[in-house]
Amino acid sequence: MNLQCVNCGHDIGKLFVQYSPGNIRLMKCENCNAVADPYIECEFMILLIDLILHKTKAYRHLLYNMFSLEVNNIKGMMWKFNLAYIFLDAYMISVLRTSKDDWDSSGSLLLPVLTCLKVLIDVLLGNFIAVSVVLVGTKVLLTSTFNIMRYKEILLALLISSYFKLFLIATMVWEFPSSVFFIIDVFVLSSNAVALRVMTRLRTSRCVAVCFAAHSAKFLVTDFLMPLFSISF
């Protein structure tokens, strides 16, 4: 992925010129004649606020100028994101499905182990279904420009834009109503849609439709089909 102007999305060779340590000059975009990436000189909190506000500029900076497939150790970072999100998804499902009394009332150690295994399977299957729906939907909409590199770019965008799941850590410390999990999931969906729009340049409505279909498929598998399957056996 090439570096991009966060204002218009035009490719740019370099974002700044460094004259000495701490002395840089930001480059201007040849297309829109604005500073290509002002976030370089901004504090991280400003970037985080703009990400929460779903500003396209912030997502372009994050996905093209801050993280890219060419960054060193990007595979290790993606694995870390994957493991963290799997753990947080498993935690959310276990809280929503299993009450504390269910764990304490059982005299057998086998039941908690089986419950944890079932939750892990649900999380892995649900996330696989969601990612598959996004990739298939994007491939259908980008038939002529979709290749294996696009798969990797979209996977990276989905992982990074799912950062709202990290707010689940707060629910481990303080007590929140179960509606908080739904709110976080909605923010993850909308963030995924913005990231998908930045990566593919598709219309917002199409990106929202693809991400909504992916999250709906995940919900159908983890919260409806899998519980019915376990009851039948």
Side-chain angles (χ1 to χ4, degrees), residues 123-171:
V123 169
L124 293 176
L125 182 60
N127 281 283
F128 175 78
I129 294 295
V131 171
S132 299
V133 170
V134 171
L135 293 179
V136 171
T138 308
K139 186 179 188 304
V140 171
L141 297 174
L142 296 174
T143 53
S144 60
T145 60
F146 208 79
N147 51 40
I148 187 64
M149 187 61 66
R150 298 293 284 167
Y151 279 116
K152 294 180 180 180
E153 292 176 357
I154 292 174
L155 283 175
L156 178 63
L158 291 177
L159 284 173
I160 294 177
S161 63
S162 297
Y163 62 89
F164 271 102
K165 290 183 180 181
L166 297 176
F167 288 98
L168 289 171
I169 298 175
T171 65

Side-chain angles (χ1 to χ4, degrees), residues 23 28 37 42 49 51 56-57 59 73 76-77 86 96 142 144 149 152 160 170 183 200 223 226 228:
N23 182 18
K28 287 188 176 182
D37 192 348
C42 292
I49 292 172
L51 288 172
T56 305
K57 295 180 181 180
Y59 278 84
N73 299 323
M77 184 185 69
I86 288 173
L96 292 176
L142 296 174
S144 60
M149 187 61 66
K152 294 180 180 180
I160 294 177
I183 294 173
T200 62
D223 295 322
M226 292 300 293
L228 289 180

Side-chain angles (χ1 to χ4, degrees), residues 1-228:
M1 291 188 291
N2 297 324
L3 300 174
Q4 284 194 2
C5 170
V6 299
N7 302 288
C8 64
H10 187 72
D11 290 346
I12 187 170
K14 53 185 177 181
L15 300 173
F16 61 90
V17 176
Q18 184 172 3
Y19 298 107
S20 60
N23 182 18
I24 65 173
R25 179 172 66 89
L26 299 182
M27 303 297 293
K28 287 188 176 182
C29 174
E30 298 178 354
N31 185 54
C32 64
N33 203 32
V35 174
D37 192 348
Y39 287 106
I40 293 176
E41 292 185 333
C42 292
E43 297 289 339
F44 176 76
M45 285 304 300
I46 296 177
L47 174 63
L48 180 60
I49 292 172
D50 284 352
L51 288 172
I52 294 175
L53 294 175
H54 288 13
K55 290 188 177 181
T56 305
K57 295 180 181 180
Y59 278 84
R60 284 200 183 106
H61 168 78
L62 189 69
L63 297 173
Y64 283 97
N65 302 339
M66 187 173 178
F67 294 113
S68 69
L69 294 175
E70 288 77 21
V71 175
N72 293 332
N73 299 323
I74 189 65
K75 291 184 178 180
M77 184 185 69
M78 291 178 68
W79 276 110
K80 291 177 182 178
F81 274 124
N82 264 318
L83 293 176
Y85 293 157
I86 288 173
F87 170 76
L88 292 172
D89 281 342
Y91 164 75
M92 180 174 64
I93 291 178
S94 63
V95 169
L96 292 176
R97 289 187 188 174
T98 309
S99 65
K100 187 175 184 298
D101 293 334
D102 293 334
W103 291 82
D104 295 339
S105 60
S106 175
S108 174
L109 294 176
L110 182 61
L111 183 58
V113 173
L114 293 177
T115 303
C116 291
L117 181 61
K118 178 183 177 301
V119 168
L120 181 60
I121 293 174
D122 290 355
V123 169
L124 293 176
L125 182 60
N127 281 283
F128 175 78
I129 294 295
V131 171
S132 299
V133 170
V134 171
L135 293 179
V136 171
T138 308
K139 186 179 188 304
V140 171
L141 297 174
L142 296 174
T143 53
S144 60
T145 60
F146 208 79
N147 51 40
I148 187 64
M149 187 61 66
R150 298 293 284 167
Y151 279 116
K152 294 180 180 180
E153 292 176 357
I154 292 174
L155 283 175
L156 178 63
L158 291 177
L159 284 173
I160 294 177
S161 63
S162 297
Y163 62 89
F164 271 102
K165 290 183 180 181
L166 297 176
F167 288 98
L168 289 171
I169 298 175
T171 65
M172 301 178 183
V173 181
W174 296 285
E175 185 175 354
F176 291 91
S178 58
S179 58
V180 171
F181 296 118
F182 173 75
I183 294 173
I184 290 176
D185 199 48
V186 170
F187 272 108
V188 171
L189 189 157
S190 59
S191 181
N192 289 160
V194 177
L196 189 64
R197 176 173 173 266
V198 168
M199 296 299 296
T200 62
R201 301 177 187 267
L202 292 169
R203 293 200 302 267
T204 302
S205 58
R206 292 189 173 186
C207 295
V208 171
V210 170
C211 292
F212 180 79
H215 283 252
S216 298
K218 179 181 176 182
F219 173 80
L220 182 65
V221 170
T222 58
D223 295 322
F224 184 72
L225 294 181
M226 292 300 293
L228 289 180

